[in-house]
Amino acid sequence: MSKPVLVVGGGPAGLAAAHSLATVGRECVIVEKEDRLGGTPILSGYAKLVPTGEWAKDAIGGMVDRVENEDNVKIVTSARVTSFDGTPGNFTAQLSNGDSLDVEAAILCSGFSHFDSVNKPEWGFGTFEDVVTTTQVEQMISSGQGVRCPSDGRKPQRVAILLCVGSRDRQIGREWCSKICCTVSANMAMEIREELPDCHVYIYYMDIRTFGLYETKYYWKSQEEFKVKYIKARIAEVTSDGEKLIVKGEDTLVKRPITIPFDMVVHAIGMDPNVDNPEIAETFGIDLESHGYIDVANSYGAMGATSRPGVFVAGSATGPETIDDSIAQGHAAAMAVLSSGKELKSA
Amino acid sequence: MSKPVLVVGGGPAGLAAAHSLATVGRECVIVEKEDRLGGTPILSGYAKLVPTGEWAKDAIGGMVDRVENEDNVKIVTSARVTSFDGTPGNFTAQLSNGDSLDVEAAILCSGFSHFDSVNKPEWGFGTFEDVVTTTQVEQMISSGQGVRCPSDGRKPQRVAILLCVGSRDRQIGREWCSKICCTVSANMAMEIREELPDCHVYIYYMDIRTFGLYETKYYWKSQEEFKVKYIKARIAEVTSDGEKLIVKGEDTLVKRPITIPFDMVVHAIGMDPNVDNPEIAETFGIDLESHGYIDVANSYGAMGATSRPGVFVAGSATGPETIDDSIAQGHAAAMAVLSSGKELKSA
């Protein structure tokens, strides 16, 4: 009888990995540091997901329910892995709750951390109440409250969404692109226009990266059907004239300074490496790549192999990632565990 | 004993799906229309792959070898599926070679077709010998011949790579973004500079979409280490002055016409829906999405479900896709087959 597989993290990737393992009759244990499963889409209160338009609580909530109903999946919440020793097929994990687990392999689905906008102070977050993040707007929508200015609860008439907050920004040590913010922001702009048809929504961008089929479904649709306005700009600062927020910058297409007043400014915050990654790397004896994400080997042999045999990784732990791709990688990493286990036995 | 699973197409997604099924002891049959496995990376002679830098013949060739050595995988080449009847768990596939297969489910890994640059005649392909496609340059590199002007075999001193040829172009009915051309082109520019250090390489773009960690690994690196030059431009035409190719357009950042001579112009060709998709949709009784790719249901319940129960899809058959994500989706679709098979049995 094979030992169970350890899945670290109960977000989209971890839920997919656990479901895969249970499907083929393999036991697994999900260890989640928070007090419930679902990962960022649930814990941060996301609204409708890209690209399906399903509510996060239904889509990811459904994945949670499925895993919770699997006999082969054991769930440990509010716990962390504190040590991980042994060799492939034969690891022992110590947990922060005092438990000890003998496992065959581990799949790290430990996700990312949202960029904290206080690290970009010149763009007004923390200074002005009506400068918010995409996560806050997701929560306004998913709560049913609607998009309102936090300062006084009014419906905004003009909203600016600033892309690349905490992304593509060498000044603050975040050179990577967060991959999905352009598309999420285009989607959010349409949701705002749908709820508040009189509200003008502007998106400030460097490059619009609505890759693949997102191009028509989000970028073109948001402009043509929802009249969202896109401005290619370098933003200097977000200030206030006492009444309105003022976004100052340079329109890089017409090479002129632009100063536009808004009721609400939304930071499209990036995906940082999980703040726990240095600790995770130490505990599991694995390498991080140069930006601080978990380094992943090639995908051709075993999907999601890390630098340590028997330890795999999936989803946004490896870098900025979409939910769909995180799910695919979770399933694939489960397969890599099964495949490597088979090789162990035949060795 | 369960029936085998039909895998249509032996590219990265199909090879991953077949490996997954074989790993858990399930039989499958790969039906490939060409005379060998490997899909576009092998059949089109790709050089080094994004993002690993491994040669396609090693990376994807290794996946082919692995599948060819699996007892559980039957391979049928130079054949197509001509009909597919039945219900989940109980399908019969007729092949063009006269064979008939009883299968539990099907996974369509039927890939994409490269855009044919003759459909963009104003950009010089088909008129000037030294206007080539990214695929041709891949072949120059993978053959060991090196990057040379087809007209006379000389080493080019100035190369222009034009992005979005057959992508983001409503005039020719291709509104989607092909997702990976920006990154592949940045990689190719570096390879050209590596082989020909005196050659100047320019990339003409609308938006640079080196998403996620490709931003630093390709976009920044190509500029900072390899001195590749990026020009945001709207291209009008590619002509010749009898000696050099002339790229005419408008620099959209400085709003001025630009006319630059080159020795070689490379079309970064997009990913069209597989030209066989209408036939595949008819044969398998599945829906295509609006652009002509195979329509895929949400990823939360079953990865790669199509409109017909028991028929799944993975990789670039669903839209422009990277090789890594195609592989992940192939593994994930195999899991979806196993999961749905389990549900069938318990029903």
Side-chain angles (χ1 to χ4, degrees):
Chain A
M1 187 62 197
S2 300
K3 292 176 184 173
V5 176
L6 172 65
V7 176
V8 178
L15 293 167
H19 174 65
S20 279
L21 292 164
T23 293
V24 298
R26 284 297 302 273
E27 289 185 0
C28 72
V29 183
I30 302 178
V31 176
E32 165 60 51
K33 68 177 176 178
E34 305 294 340
D35 63 1
R36 60 193 170 126
L37 300 184
T40 302
I42 295 294
L43 296 164
S44 289
Y46 285 2
K48 291 180 183 171
L49 300 182
V50 166
T52 60
E54 287 185 46
W55 290 95
K57 65 176 167 30
D58 299 327
I60 309 301
M63 293 180 73
V64 171
D65 291 345
R66 186 172 64 177
V67 154
E68 286 178 341
N69 289 321
E70 287 280 5
D71 293 335
N72 286 329
V73 181
K74 187 180 161 195
I75 297 164
V76 182
T77 53
S78 304
R80 291 163 185 266
V81 179
T82 55
S83 74
F84 191 77
D85 300 310
T87 53
N90 244 329
F91 291 108
T92 300
Q94 297 290 340
L95 307 190
S96 56
N97 65 7
D99 285 358
S100 171
L101 300 170
D102 290 329
V103 298
E104 177 181 313
I107 307 176
L108 306 177
C109 305
S110 39
F112 70 101
S113 295
H114 277 121
F115 174 73
D116 186 342
S117 271
V118 298
N119 294 312
K120 195 72 188 171
E122 62 272 34
W123 290 9
F125 185 86
T127 305
F128 306 111
E129 261 188 290
D130 295 338
V131 177
V132 298
T133 67
T134 35
T135 302
Q136 285 174 275
V137 177
E138 293 274 350
Q139 290 163 358
M140 291 179 194
I141 296 170
S142 64
S143 68
Q145 168 207 344
V147 178
R148 302 292 179 270
C149 294
S151 64
D152 59 3
R154 76 183 187 282
K155 293 179 181 175
Q157 292 184 308
R158 299 172 61 82
V159 172
I161 302 177
L162 313 184
L163 293 181
C164 300
V165 184
S167 302
R168 305 184 69 191
D169 189 341
R170 184 171 280 178
Q171 283 184 324
I172 55 170
R174 287 164 173 88
E175 300 177 350
W176 59 85
C177 154
S178 290
K179 191 170 180 177
I180 193 63
C181 334
C182 285
T183 307
V184 164
S185 296
N187 185 47
M188 183 172 284
M190 291 191 284
E191 287 183 297
I192 295 172
R193 290 275 302 155
E194 199 156 39
E195 192 216 334
L196 305 170
D198 295 331
C199 179
H200 299 271
V201 182
Y202 290 71
I203 293 179
Y204 285 74
Y205 72 97
M206 282 197 275
D207 294 282
I208 286 294
R209 295 186 164 177
T210 46
F211 51 79
L213 302 185
Y214 298 164
E215 177 76 358
T216 45
K217 192 165 180 178
Y218 295 96
Y219 186 38
W220 293 46
K221 187 178 179 189
S222 65
Q223 293 178 82
E224 297 183 349
E225 286 182 37
F226 288 83
K227 310 301 177 198
V228 174
K229 293 160 200 91
Y230 286 80
I231 303 179
K232 184 168 167 71
R234 209 172 287 277
I235 298 160
E237 58 173 350
V238 177
T239 60
S240 170
D241 65 2
E243 197 175 326
K244 299 276 186 183
L245 295 166
I246 309 292
V247 177
K248 291 183 183 176
E250 185 197 72
D251 184 317
T252 48
L253 288 182
V254 299
K255 293 272 186 232
R256 272 197 304 215
I258 43 169
T259 298
I260 307 183
F262 290 98
D263 298 296
M264 180 185 278
V265 171
V266 184
H267 284 198
I269 51 173
M271 296 170 85
D272 272 3
N274 189 324
V275 293
D276 295 333
N277 275 1
E279 189 187 324
I280 291 171
E282 174 76 23
T283 300
F284 286 91
I286 52 164
D287 295 339
L288 302 180
E289 54 78 66
S290 60
H291 304 301
Y293 297 97
I294 296 176
D295 200 21
V296 58
N298 80 57
S299 305
Y300 318 117
M303 194 92 205
T306 66
S307 57
R308 183 176 181 184
V311 180
F312 298 82
V313 62
S316 56
T318 67
E321 202 44 276
T322 68
I323 291 175
D324 280 42
D325 287 337
S326 293
I327 292 172
Q329 289 171 21
H331 289 301
M335 266 306 171
V337 167
L338 298 176
S339 181
S340 71
K342 201 174 154 194
E343 282 165 27
L344 275 180
K345 269 179 204 149
S346 65
Chain B
M1 187 65 195
S2 300
K3 292 176 184 171
V5 176
L6 172 65
V7 176
V8 178
L15 293 167
H19 174 65
S20 278
L21 293 164
T23 294
V24 298
R26 286 296 303 273
E27 290 184 359
C28 71
V29 184
I30 301 178
V31 176
E32 165 60 51
K33 68 177 176 179
E34 305 295 339
D35 63 1
R36 60 193 170 128
L37 300 183
T40 302
I42 295 295
L43 295 164
S44 290
Y46 285 1
K48 290 180 183 171
L49 299 182
V50 166
T52 60
E54 287 185 47
W55 291 96
K57 66 177 166 29
D58 299 327
I60 309 302
M63 293 181 73
V64 170
D65 291 344
R66 186 172 64 177
V67 154
E68 287 179 340
N69 288 320
E70 286 281 5
D71 294 335
N72 285 329
V73 180
K74 187 181 162 195
I75 296 164
V76 183
T77 52
S78 305
R80 292 165 184 263
V81 178
T82 55
S83 73
F84 191 77
D85 299 310
T87 53
N90 244 328
F91 291 108
T92 301
Q94 297 291 340
L95 307 190
S96 56
N97 65 6
D99 285 358
S100 171
L101 300 170
D102 291 329
V103 298
E104 178 181 313
I107 307 176
L108 306 177
C109 305
S110 38
F112 70 101
S113 295
H114 278 122
F115 174 73
D116 187 341
S117 270
V118 298
N119 295 312
K120 194 72 188 171
E122 61 272 34
W123 290 9
F125 185 85
T127 305
F128 307 110
E129 261 188 290
D130 295 338
V131 177
V132 298
T133 67
T134 34
T135 302
Q136 286 174 275
V137 176
E138 293 274 349
Q139 291 163 357
M140 292 179 194
I141 296 169
S142 64
S143 67
Q145 167 207 344
V147 179
R148 301 291 179 270
C149 294
S151 65
D152 59 3
R154 77 183 187 282
K155 293 178 181 174
Q157 293 184 308
R158 300 172 60 83
V159 172
I161 302 177
L162 313 184
L163 293 181
C164 300
V165 184
S167 303
R168 304 184 69 191
D169 189 341
R170 184 171 280 178
Q171 283 184 326
I172 54 170
R174 287 165 173 86
E175 300 177 352
W176 60 84
C177 154
S178 289
K179 191 170 180 178
I180 194 62
C181 333
C182 285
T183 307
V184 164
S185 296
N187 186 47
M188 183 172 285
M190 291 191 285
E191 286 182 298
I192 294 172
R193 291 274 301 155
E194 200 157 38
E195 192 216 333
L196 305 171
D198 296 330
C199 179
H200 299 271
V201 183
Y202 290 71
I203 293 179
Y204 285 75
Y205 72 97
M206 281 198 274
D207 293 282
I208 286 294
R209 295 187 164 176
T210 46
F211 51 78
L213 302 185
Y214 298 164
E215 176 77 357
T216 46
K217 191 164 180 178
Y218 295 96
Y219 186 38
W220 294 46
K221 187 177 178 189
S222 65
Q223 292 178 83
E224 297 183 348
E225 286 182 37
F226 288 83
K227 310 302 175 196
V228 174
K229 293 161 201 92
Y230 287 79
I231 303 179
K232 184 171 168 70
R234 208 170 289 276
I235 297 160
E237 58 172 351
V238 177
T239 59
S240 169
D241 65 1
E243 197 174 327
K244 298 276 187 183
L245 296 166
I246 309 292
V247 177
K248 292 183 183 175
E250 184 197 72
D251 184 317
T252 47
L253 288 181
V254 299
K255 294 270 186 236
R256 273 197 303 217
I258 44 169
T259 298
I260 307 183
F262 290 98
D263 298 296
M264 180 185 279
V265 170
V266 184
H267 284 197
I269 51 173
M271 297 171 84
D272 272 3
N274 188 325
V275 293
D276 295 333
N277 275 1
E279 188 186 324
I280 291 171
E282 175 76 23
T283 301
F284 286 91
I286 53 163
D287 295 339
L288 302 180
E289 54 77 66
S290 60
H291 303 300
Y293 297 98
I294 296 176
D295 200 20
V296 57
N298 80 57
S299 306
Y300 319 117
M303 195 92 205
T306 67
S307 58
R308 183 175 181 186
V311 180
F312 298 83
V313 61
S316 57
T318 67
E321 202 45 275
T322 67
I323 291 175
D324 279 42
D325 288 337
S326 294
I327 292 171
Q329 290 171 21
H331 290 301
M335 266 305 171
V337 167
L338 298 176
S339 182
S340 70
K342 202 174 152 192
E343 282 166 26
L344 275 180
K345 269 178 204 148
S346 65

